[in-house]
Amino acid sequence: MQHDLIAQARTWLAEDPDPETREELAALIEAGDTQELAARFAGTLQFGTAGLRGELGAGPLRMNRSVVIRAAAGLAAYLKARGREGGLVVIGYDARYKSADFARDTAAVMTGAGLRAAVLPRPLPTPVLAYAIRHLGAVAGVEVTASHNPPRDNGYKVYLGDGSQIVPPADGEIAAAIAAVGPLAGVVRPEDGWDTLGEEVLEAYLARTDAVLAAGSPRTARTVHTAMHGVGTSVLTAAFDRAGFPAPVLVAEQAEPDPAFPTVAFPNPEEPGAMDLAFATARRAAPDLVIANDPDADRCAVAVPDPSVEGGWRMLRGDEVGALLAAHLVERGASGVFAESIVSSSLLGRIAEKAGLGYEETLTGFKWIARVDGLRYGYEEALGYCVDPEGVRDKDGITAALLVAELASVLKERGRTLLDLLDDLALAHGLHATDQLSVRVEDLSVIADAMARLREQPPTALAGLAVTSAEDLSRGTDRLPPTDGLRYHLEGARVIVRPSGTEPKLKCYLEVVVPVADAAGLPAARARGAELLAGIKRDLAAAAGI
């Protein structure tokens, strides 16, 4: 066994094109570190609906140039088998370690396979790549990013020519094509022959961002912005300048791209402590809003002044921002379909119904939301908003930030705030309070065991609320294809449990709806909502054994 492992590692080493990972792997072989080698060679990084994502390093279970070259070769074979020979593949990348290398390798493989390749001019937000695919008439797109994952991770996200991320069966067919790739020596990789796009593709995207705002709307909201050490600063500030908003005050320590993400443990606005520097800047600058993008700027977090909380600033939940943007679009006379994933708040459906608009619920992920027929607006609770589906069929943290700033400006002219509008929505539709129980694991079997336990012994009540129905989403429903998840409906509440598609986490999404008769009843309704959520979280954790 040990001999086989060393032999496997030597075979991999012989064709690894990257001096850094070659040195790393050679040292492990030399040291006879079979435990670490086993961790890297116990399988291969699986290509799925999120593409590839994993820790950087040598070996088939890590993100590296060998894995990326194979992925690109498999994607090229998939495209050619579907008559896309000679078609254009657009490639974007963020500022993480190795991202530029992975983008260049992808361009070389596509060129060698008889496709045309074009690489974005520099590290840019993921939505610019999603826009460029349709703008340039490409047959596919690749974004090299690990979004908000830890610094040592990178990833590989694939889009097809409609500008949406891949869904089954395309993911499985591409995975099969990757598995069929032979030795890397057989993958043709010329030194040149692809295009590096100029600034005009970014200019076209920025021109499109203006379209999300209403002509003549107020543009007075003052913002503090953090890019979370990612690639969002220059594009967001350019979009705000074009739109005529005051220039955002930048969180200086986090404004420039830095793959080490030195000021945050996890570069995700939702993680504890990630917004501390932004709030410190806001206390000095006294803006109307804090806006945060994740490192590839496809997500948008919003915080507002709130004297009732410690530090004076409160992060809005993704569900709150999702409802606020929906209400704003309704007031602007939007038509079409509003869509969200099953893990997001049911408030969106109530807003759409009252406005006489279409409403759709999808599986988790913008790969599903973006495919809804007639989509006008889609969102997901994890800070993702699609406010211009004709331009970008994915979440877009730049255009979402513009729309939030417009809404804040409209309210500001009326002497009101985003929190006031949230109160209005609670009075109109009931107080929708959401929370999440999220457990990060080292051992993935913990997640499998928890899901098995809940399937075998589903809870009959949570926080004293009776479970009125329990659905195993792996069987699919009349509206949804199968997915690994469980959904419980309770009297005045809803719970969804699922493994994360991108991180080693079990995620449980909780929502309670508390009726509220008038403004005087809002504090009591909020207290009741918080009490129920805490009880559901406690009882669900016990039921799942986590």
Side-chain angles (χ1 to χ4, degrees), residues 151-212:
R152 286 299 303 165
D153 286 5
N154 213 328
Y156 198 81
K157 189 184 290 190
V158 175
Y159 298 74
L160 293 181
D162 62 355
S164 300
Q165 295 178 51
I166 52 168
V167 295
D171 58 340
E173 292 164 352
I174 294 169
I178 293 169
V181 174
L184 286 194
V187 178
V188 179
R189 285 182 292 133
E191 291 293 315
D192 52 31
W194 57 90
D195 292 329
T196 299
L197 296 168
E199 294 298 310
E200 64 277 359
V201 68
L202 178 59
E203 277 303 309
Y205 167 81
L206 286 169
R208 178 85 203 183
T209 62
D210 298 351
V212 305

Side-chain angles (χ1 to χ4, degrees), residues 334-349:
S335 59
V337 177
F338 283 7
E340 64 181 342
S341 63
I342 56 173
V343 299
S344 305
S345 171
S346 59
L347 178 54
L348 183 70

Side-chain angles (χ1 to χ4, degrees), residues 3-195:
H3 182 267
D4 289 348
L5 189 58
I6 298 289
Q8 196 181 352
R10 289 191 192 283
T11 301
W12 184 274
L13 179 66
E15 61 173 21
D16 187 340
D18 188 332
E20 285 185 39
T21 45
R22 283 176 59 81
E23 185 179 337
E24 177 188 319
L25 186 55
L28 291 174
I29 294 169
E30 182 70 24
D33 189 343
T34 52
Q35 186 174 349
E36 183 60 27
L37 288 171
R40 293 158 182 256
F41 285 86
T44 57
L45 210 53
Q46 291 302 300
F47 186 92
T49 48
L52 294 167
R53 199 177 288 186
E55 186 180 343
L56 289 161
L61 272 172
R62 297 288 184 268
M63 281 295 296
N64 51 64
R65 290 183 60 199
S66 297
V67 165
V68 164
I69 290 165
R70 288 181 181 282
L75 175 59
Y78 167 87
L79 293 170
K80 288 168 69 178
R82 278 148 191 81
R84 300 290 190 265
E85 180 106 30
L88 175 66
V89 178
V90 189
I91 302 147
Y93 59 103
D94 66 12
R96 283 178 177 265
Y97 295 118
K98 297 288 183 184
S99 286
D101 294 340
F102 295 166
R104 189 168 55 250
D105 282 331
T106 301
V109 171
M110 295 300 162
T111 303
L115 292 143
R116 291 181 295 125
V119 183
L120 293 185
R122 62 178 188 278
L124 287 168
T126 293
V128 178
L129 181 275
Y131 168 80
I133 293 165
R134 300 184 75 214
H135 176 65
L136 298 173
V139 298
V142 170
E143 176 69 18
V144 180
T145 181
S147 189
H148 56 278
N149 275 39
R152 286 299 303 165
D153 286 5
N154 213 328
Y156 198 81
K157 189 184 290 190
V158 175
Y159 298 74
L160 293 181
D162 62 355
S164 300
Q165 295 178 51
I166 52 168
V167 295
D171 58 340
E173 292 164 352
I174 294 169
I178 293 169
V181 174
L184 286 194
V187 178
V188 179
R189 285 182 292 133
E191 291 293 315
D192 52 31
W194 57 90
D195 292 329

